[in-house]
Amino acid sequence: MDKLRAAITEVIDSGVLTNDGPRVRRLEELLSQAVGASDLAVCGSGTTAIQLACAALGADGREVIVPAAAFPAVAQAVLRAGGTPVAVDIEPTYLTIDPQAVAAALTPRTGAILGVHTFGCPADVDALRSIARAAGVPLLFDGATCWGISYRQTPLLACGDAATLSLHATKLMHSVEGGAVIGNTVPLAAEVRRLRNFGASPAGASPAGTNARMSELHAAFGALVLEEAESEIVRRLAVRKLYLDALRDISWLEPCPFRLDAGPNVAAMPVRLVVESPFDAEALATALLSHGVHARAYFAGRYRMRHIQAAGQTPCADAAARRVMCLPFHGGLTEREIGRVADALRSAPG
Ligand SMILES: *Cc1c(COP(=O)(O)O)cnc(C)c1O
């Protein structure tokens, strides 16, 4: 905390509070180095990161294929970018966008495929890449929660033609509020820097522009949190282990599987109600709240995306909405607190 206070004071004393200041550029350099990506621009949130990436990829006026079970920010960002989200089903095991369903939903109007690495679990990157290449459309991944996670020895954020990151305070790596766009096969950073600042350029202001800047205060905060990211990963791995022990005897609940060759599994603690369960994830989250436990059913209830167009049936996404929820998860959780979550789960259904 002392370090944070000193950093904030330093920003205030510098007289530069926002508008592409040196701390924003410094954070961009630090994040680029860590991901091994040369093309990276930060912005105001993970949501505007998706929006600006879609705009920079030319999805305006086009269909963007998204998973039917996803945080609402995904479809909202596509809409704000002037695209039309088209929802397709997810894979039953890993809860990530189903490549078969993506292939079936392609039309001449498709402007991009937008996969989500759900709760940090990689989407089927290889299958999606083949489909996107064959169709000649860009492949974008929402890697909002994927800081520090690799897939087959490659940082997950380096997968796809482009990827986005959230730097919100609930994520492992954050700047209180913030986000980033990473151009992997196509350079996007320069365009994202224009778009986050009203799209202003010598040729005029782009309609796709908005105010999605990051302030110097947020950037300074981010640089300090980054120093802690590695130790937070270690703490979270220990917390996951404690959870797995604590949940072992709850037969109606199972931790969501993580794709092989991916790790560390440190973004979230998603669990799934087994099929026979008589109650749904939303009801369980509400019951847990009465025990002071903040669990979230991210695909249901208040988070369910209304009025979204779907291509075909989405039975796996519908099942995930009924059965998947995330338990409280961060490196500061103690064994006692995790025990309290497990106790609340045991008493919640009754
Ligand atoms: C957190 C999150 C977002 C939104 O990020 P913000 O920084 O809160 O705007 C988008 N997608 C996923 C998968 C997320 O987890």
Side-chain angles (χ1 to χ4, degrees):
M1 266 311 180
D2 285 350
K3 262 180 157 179
L4 284 174
R5 274 201 192 92
I8 300 301
T9 306
E10 214 179 286
V11 174
I12 294 167
D13 290 349
S14 79
V16 182
L17 296 182
T18 189
N19 281 8
D20 264 356
R23 285 169 182 85
V24 160
R25 291 306 176 108
R26 175 80 184 125
L27 182 63
E28 288 178 338
E29 274 166 32
L30 292 170
L31 297 176
S32 298
Q33 280 165 17
V35 179
S38 58
D39 187 77
L40 182 151
V42 297
C43 59
S45 66
T47 309
T48 50
I50 303 170
Q51 176 188 333
L52 300 189
C54 284
L57 288 168
D60 178 40
R62 314 199 32 109
E63 292 175 357
V64 177
I65 301 177
V66 300
F71 195 61
V74 174
Q76 288 164 345
V78 171
L79 287 164
R80 294 292 96 72
T84 304
V86 175
V88 302
D89 209 6
I90 56 171
E91 294 184 40
T93 306
Y94 298 115
L95 309 176
T96 50
I97 195 164
D98 179 353
Q100 304 291 320
V102 169
L106 287 165
T107 75
R109 298 177 299 280
T110 305
I113 297 166
L114 169 48
V116 179
H117 302 306
T118 308
F119 308 132
C121 174
D124 190 345
V125 171
D126 294 340
L128 291 165
R129 187 191 294 117
S130 308
I131 291 164
R133 289 264 161 84
V137 299
L139 175 62
L140 170 65
F141 284 116
D142 174 11
T145 59
C146 299
W147 188 262
I149 300 176
S150 293
Y151 182 42
R152 302 200 180 129
Q153 271 82 49
T154 305
L156 201 41
L157 293 167
C159 296
D161 293 311
T164 62
L165 174 69
S166 166
L167 294 168
H168 182 251
T170 51
K171 319 292 189 198
L172 191 151
M173 167 56 208
H174 73 89
S175 56
V176 186
E177 293 279 359
V181 177
I182 299 150
N184 289 319
T185 64
V186 274
L188 298 177
E191 179 64 3
V192 169
R193 287 190 187 108
R194 271 192 293 278
L195 292 174
R196 74 186 179 195
N197 188 37
F198 309 115
S201 79
S206 162
T210 186
N211 173 4
R213 291 182 302 260
M214 178 182 282
S215 82
E216 289 288 282
L217 291 157
H218 290 85
F221 208 106
L224 289 176
V225 175
L226 184 58
E227 292 178 5
E228 287 292 310
E230 282 305 316
S231 42
E232 174 65 7
I233 287 173
V234 173
R235 286 193 293 267
R236 285 186 179 207
L237 285 170
V239 165
R240 173 173 303 282
K241 211 168 156 293
L242 291 171
Y243 256 125
L244 295 181
D245 287 342
L247 301 179
R248 190 153 289 142
D249 66 336
I250 305 179
S251 61
W252 45 269
L253 199 74
E254 58 194 17
C256 292
F258 208 67
R259 204 175 288 275
L260 298 174
D261 299 327
N265 185 358
V266 288
M269 188 67 214
V271 292
R272 177 154 55 187
L273 301 171
V274 298
V275 191
E276 309 83 51
S277 173
F279 41 89
D280 68 12
E282 174 78 0
L284 182 56
T286 306
L288 289 176
L289 199 57
S290 70
H291 292 264
V293 172
H294 292 256
R296 290 201 163 83
Y298 281 115
F299 307 138
R302 58 193 288 120
Y303 294 111
R304 183 181 59 87
M305 187 66 198
R306 290 185 281 150
H307 309 306
I308 186 168
Q309 176 189 332
Q313 301 293 304
T314 58
C316 296
D318 300 344
R322 288 192 306 272
R323 292 171 49 201
V324 173
M325 68 170 195
C326 286
L327 299 176
F329 189 66
H330 60 83
L333 285 176
T334 63
E335 185 162 9
R336 216 170 123 244
E337 287 166 324
I338 292 163
R340 276 214 341 253
V341 175
D343 288 343
L345 280 165
R346 276 187 211 96
S347 57

